[in-house]
PDB file of all heavy atoms in Angstrom:
ATOM      1  N   LEU A 134    -100.314  21.687  30.515  1.00  0.00           N
ATOM      2  CA  LEU A 134    -101.540  21.094  30.312  1.00  0.00           C
ATOM      3  C   LEU A 134    -102.618  22.085  30.523  1.00  0.00           C
ATOM      4  O   LEU A 134    -102.426  23.134  31.209  1.00  0.00           O
ATOM      5  CB  LEU A 134    -101.696  19.995  31.349  1.00  0.00           C
ATOM      6  CG  LEU A 134    -100.771  18.775  31.170  1.00  0.00           C
ATOM      7  CD1 LEU A 134    -100.990  17.706  32.279  1.00  0.00           C
ATOM      8  CD2 LEU A 134    -100.927  18.091  29.880  1.00  0.00           C
ATOM      9  N   PRO A 135    -103.866  21.913  29.898  1.00  0.00           N
ATOM     10  CA  PRO A 135    -104.905  22.870  30.061  1.00  0.00           C
ATOM     11  C   PRO A 135    -105.262  23.179  31.467  1.00  0.00           C
ATOM     12  O   PRO A 135    -105.220  22.315  32.410  1.00  0.00           O
ATOM     13  CB  PRO A 135    -106.070  22.132  29.369  1.00  0.00           C
ATOM     14  CG  PRO A 135    -105.432  21.152  28.404  1.00  0.00           C
ATOM     15  CD  PRO A 135    -104.208  20.696  29.039  1.00  0.00           C
ATOM     16  N   ALA A 136    -105.604  24.457  31.683  1.00  0.00           N
ATOM     17  CA  ALA A 136    -105.921  24.827  33.118  1.00  0.00           C
ATOM     18  C   ALA A 136    -107.156  24.080  33.628  1.00  0.00           C
ATOM     19  O   ALA A 136    -107.210  23.950  34.880  1.00  0.00           O
ATOM     20  CB  ALA A 136    -106.198  26.379  33.132  1.00  0.00           C
ATOM     21  N   GLU A 137    -107.996  23.642  32.738  1.00  0.00           N
ATOM     22  CA  GLU A 137    -109.186  22.959  33.172  1.00  0.00           C
ATOM     23  C   GLU A 137    -108.980  21.654  33.918  1.00  0.00           C
ATOM     24  O   GLU A 137    -109.815  21.176  34.707  1.00  0.00           O
ATOM     25  CB  GLU A 137    -110.121  22.610  31.919  1.00  0.00           C
ATOM     26  CG  GLU A 137    -110.723  23.835  31.290  1.00  0.00           C
ATOM     27  CD  GLU A 137    -109.778  24.509  30.285  1.00  0.00           C
ATOM     28  OE1 GLU A 137    -108.554  24.081  30.187  1.00  0.00           O
ATOM     29  OE2 GLU A 137    -110.314  25.371  29.512  1.00  0.00           O
ATOM     30  N   ILE A 138    -107.745  21.063  33.846  1.00  0.00           N
ATOM     31  CA  ILE A 138    -107.428  19.778  34.439  1.00  0.00           C
ATOM     32  C   ILE A 138    -106.466  19.900  35.625  1.00  0.00           C
ATOM     33  O   ILE A 138    -105.932  18.974  36.179  1.00  0.00           O
ATOM     34  CB  ILE A 138    -106.968  18.690  33.480  1.00  0.00           C
ATOM     35  CG1 ILE A 138    -105.590  19.044  33.018  1.00  0.00           C
ATOM     36  CG2 ILE A 138    -107.974  18.498  32.370  1.00  0.00           C
ATOM     37  CD1 ILE A 138    -104.951  17.890  32.259  1.00  0.00           C
ATOM     38  N   ALA A 139    -106.191  21.183  35.942  1.00  0.00           N
ATOM     39  CA  ALA A 139    -105.135  21.489  36.953  1.00  0.00           C
ATOM     40  C   ALA A 139    -105.298  20.807  38.251  1.00  0.00           C
ATOM     41  O   ALA A 139    -104.303  20.267  38.885  1.00  0.00           O
ATOM     42  CB  ALA A 139    -104.984  22.975  37.187  1.00  0.00           C
ATOM     43  N   GLY A 140    -106.514  20.675  38.739  1.00  0.00           N
ATOM     44  CA  GLY A 140    -106.730  20.072  40.016  1.00  0.00           C
ATOM     45  C   GLY A 140    -107.035  18.612  39.982  1.00  0.00           C
ATOM     46  O   GLY A 140    -107.368  17.997  41.112  1.00  0.00           O
ATOM     47  N   MET A 141    -107.007  17.945  38.874  1.00  0.00           N
ATOM     48  CA  MET A 141    -107.396  16.578  38.740  1.00  0.00           C
ATOM     49  C   MET A 141    -106.120  15.577  38.873  1.00  0.00           C
ATOM     50  O   MET A 141    -105.096  15.980  38.485  1.00  0.00           O
ATOM     51  CB  MET A 141    -108.043  16.272  37.298  1.00  0.00           C
ATOM     52  CG  MET A 141    -109.229  17.140  37.018  1.00  0.00           C
ATOM     53  SD  MET A 141    -109.868  16.692  35.396  1.00  0.00           S
ATOM     54  CE  MET A 141    -111.124  17.956  35.258  1.00  0.00           C
ATOM     55  N   ASP A 142    -106.356  14.398  39.375  1.00  0.00           N
ATOM     56  CA  ASP A 142    -105.403  13.350  39.347  1.00  0.00           C
ATOM     57  C   ASP A 142    -105.223  12.979  37.949  1.00  0.00           C
ATOM     58  O   ASP A 142    -106.190  13.056  37.049  1.00  0.00           O
ATOM     59  CB  ASP A 142    -105.825  12.169  40.156  1.00  0.00           C
ATOM     60  CG  ASP A 142    -105.828  12.462  41.679  1.00  0.00           C
ATOM     61  OD1 ASP A 142    -104.985  13.358  42.092  1.00  0.00           O
ATOM     62  OD2 ASP A 142    -106.595  11.817  42.386  1.00  0.00           O
ATOM     63  N   LYS A 143    -104.063  12.494  37.519  1.00  0.00           N
ATOM     64  CA  LYS A 143    -103.853  12.255  36.057  1.00  0.00           C
ATOM     65  C   LYS A 143    -103.246  10.853  35.853  1.00  0.00           C
ATOM     66  O   LYS A 143    -102.504  10.279  36.637  1.00  0.00           O
ATOM     67  CB  LYS A 143    -102.803  13.275  35.540  1.00  0.00           C
ATOM     68  CG  LYS A 143    -103.337  14.734  35.692  1.00  0.00           C
ATOM     69  CD  LYS A 143    -102.296  15.744  35.353  1.00  0.00           C
ATOM     70  CE  LYS A 143    -102.923  17.104  35.573  1.00  0.00           C
ATOM     71  NZ  LYS A 143    -103.348  17.422  36.963  1.00  0.00           N
ATOM     72  N   LEU A 144    -103.732  10.272  34.698  1.00  0.00           N
ATOM     73  CA  LEU A 144    -103.255   8.977  34.229  1.00  0.00           C
ATOM     74  C   LEU A 144    -102.701   9.209  32.817  1.00  0.00           C
ATOM     75  O   LEU A 144    -103.408   9.556  31.857  1.00  0.00           O
ATOM     76  CB  LEU A 144    -104.431   8.008  34.170  1.00  0.00           C
ATOM     77  CG  LEU A 144    -104.112   6.646  33.394  1.00  0.00           C
ATOM     78  CD1 LEU A 144    -103.025   5.846  34.036  1.00  0.00           C
ATOM     79  CD2 LEU A 144    -105.446   5.828  33.207  1.00  0.00           C
ATOM     80  N   GLY A 145    -101.357   9.093  32.734  1.00  0.00           N
ATOM     81  CA  GLY A 145    -100.725   9.247  31.425  1.00  0.00           C
ATOM     82  C   GLY A 145    -100.925   7.927  30.613  1.00  0.00           C
ATOM     83  O   GLY A 145    -100.905   6.844  31.209  1.00  0.00           O
TER      84      GLY A 145
END
Side-chain angles (χ1 to χ4, degrees):
L134 296 177
E137 291 85 350
I138 70 166
M141 300 179 189
D142 293 332
K143 297 170 184 68
L144 168 63

